[in-house]
């Protein structure tokens, strides 16, 4: 996990990382903080995540409780980066070991092409954001974006920034884009 502590392994640049060990000397996360992983679902039985999971939601209407299709792994990976347990001698270390993970499924890929594209709607994305806020998410992690701006999604983001954390506003984070391209919506939003 060179991104946490880069010692030059695999030819990477020494110390081009987030200084996780230095941060862990100060704090390892708080069980009082909940991060909503708003994505294609999070594996609800994953041994690295199980201890930190709270109740989730499936905005797609398929009733998974926030779990993914067996072939959809993106949300599980995002949850692992945020909060994978480090004391079980398996898998990876998350940045915040003790924070709670709220899985919110807003999309899925079809069995016919397993992972080649997402099926989703603006209404599902907005519903997932608002459900997370209404159910106690402090931070909303959205590793998705692109397409034309949507009033429905924008209004949900504004709702999160206005109503989250008891009126203080949730922290809302979006993927900015890939492959050195321009910043994409909704990461372009000032919120």
């Amino acid at each position: 996990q060179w991104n946490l502590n880069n010692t030059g392994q695999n030819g990477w640049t020494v110390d081009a990382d987030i200084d996780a060990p230095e941060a862990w000397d100060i704090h390892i996360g708080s069980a009082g903080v909940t991060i909503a992983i708003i994505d294609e679902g999070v594996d609800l039985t994953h041994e690295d995540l199980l201890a930190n999971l709270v109740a989730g939601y499936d905005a797609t209407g398929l009733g998974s409780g926030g779990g993914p299709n067996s072939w959809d792994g993106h949300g599980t990976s995002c949850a692992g980066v945020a909060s994978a347990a480090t004391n079980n001698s398996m898998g990876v270390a998350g940045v915040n070991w003790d924070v709670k993970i709220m899985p919110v499924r807003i999309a899925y890929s079809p069995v016919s092409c397993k992972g080649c594209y997402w099926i989703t709607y603006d209404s599902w994305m907005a519903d997932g954001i608002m459900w997370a806020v209404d159910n106690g998410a402090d931070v909303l992690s959205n590793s998705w974006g692109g397409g034309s701006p949507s009033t429905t999604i924008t209004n949900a983001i504004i709702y999160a920034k206005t109503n989250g954390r008891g009126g203080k506003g949730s922290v809302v984070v979006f993927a900015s884009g890939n492959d050195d391209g321009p910043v994409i919506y909704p990461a372009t939003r000032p919120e």
Side-chain angles (χ1 to χ4, degrees):
Q1 293 185 263
W2 63 267
N3 58 312
L4 299 179
N5 185 37
N6 193 338
T7 61
Q9 62 270 46
N10 300 319
W12 296 103
T13 303
V14 174
D15 203 35
D17 56 42
I18 65 168
D19 291 329
E22 294 87 341
W24 293 333
D25 285 343
I26 299 167
H27 206 279
I28 59 168
S30 171
V33 174
T34 300
I35 300 174
I37 303 296
I38 303 173
D39 208 281
E40 62 185 12
V42 173
D43 183 345
L44 304 178
T45 62
H46 196 288
E47 63 274 1
D48 269 352
L49 303 173
L50 195 57
N52 292 339
L53 289 175
V54 299
Y57 177 63
D58 187 345
T60 71
L62 296 176
S64 76
N69 290 329
S70 62
W71 56 86
D72 287 333
H74 190 261
T76 302
S77 297
C78 293
V81 168
S83 183
T86 61
N87 59 355
N88 63 4
S89 302
M90 295 182 273
V92 299
V95 175
N96 296 290
W97 310 343
D98 289 335
V99 298
K100 298 302 178 198
I101 293 294
M102 176 187 288
V104 179
R105 183 181 185 192
I106 57 158
Y108 58 88
S109 65
V111 69
S112 61
C113 73
K114 295 184 179 179
C116 64
Y117 65 90
W118 274 9
I119 295 172
T120 193
Y121 299 94
D122 291 355
S123 60
W124 292 358
M125 294 178 217
D127 183 34
I129 290 168
M130 292 172 33
W131 187 92
V133 170
D134 290 344
N135 286 273
D138 301 294
V139 178
L140 282 64
S141 174
N142 299 271
S143 183
W144 53 271
S148 299
S150 159
T151 301
T152 302
I153 294 170
T154 296
N155 287 341
I157 295 167
I158 292 168
Y159 179 81
K161 294 295 292 184
T162 305
N163 296 291
R165 297 186 311 142
K168 296 179 207 169
S170 294
V171 175
V172 182
V173 184
F174 276 91
S176 62
N178 293 319
D179 303 318
D180 296 321
V183 176
I184 59 174
Y185 175 84
T188 54
R189 294 290 313 162
E191 297 84 12

